[in-house]
Amino acid sequence: LLLTSLLFVIGIYGILSRREGISIIISSEIIVNAAIINFISAANFYSALNGVSYALITLIMIVFETVVFIALMVVFSRT
């Protein structure tokens, strides 16, 4: 829980202190990774696979979000 809290604080600091789009994406990825680690550790603690499945779904969603955001940044940077 300490690791996930530290990752979450680092991600929030990165979002609040940066202005570039890529830095904000990386910081949001750090926050989501903290949540994923939390899901997996809770699943391990309770001996259930629900946390792992939530973590996989969250990971897939954040990958698609990042791809769309980077594509939008490329499109808007060309014009």
Side-chain angles (χ1 to χ4, degrees), residues 14-36:
I15 287 177
L16 294 177
S17 67
R18 308 281 184 194
R19 295 248 184 227
E20 300 88 25
I22 295 293
S23 299
I24 293 173
I25 291 174
I26 292 171
S27 298
S28 68
E29 291 282 338
I30 290 172
I31 291 172
V32 170
N33 284 334
I36 288 173

Side-chain angles (χ1 to χ4, degrees), residues 43-63:
N44 189 21
F45 182 74
Y46 292 116
S47 299
L49 290 177
N50 292 342
V52 176
S53 62
Y54 290 148
L56 288 174
I57 291 169
T58 306
L59 186 63
I60 291 169
M61 287 174 40
I62 198 68
V63 165

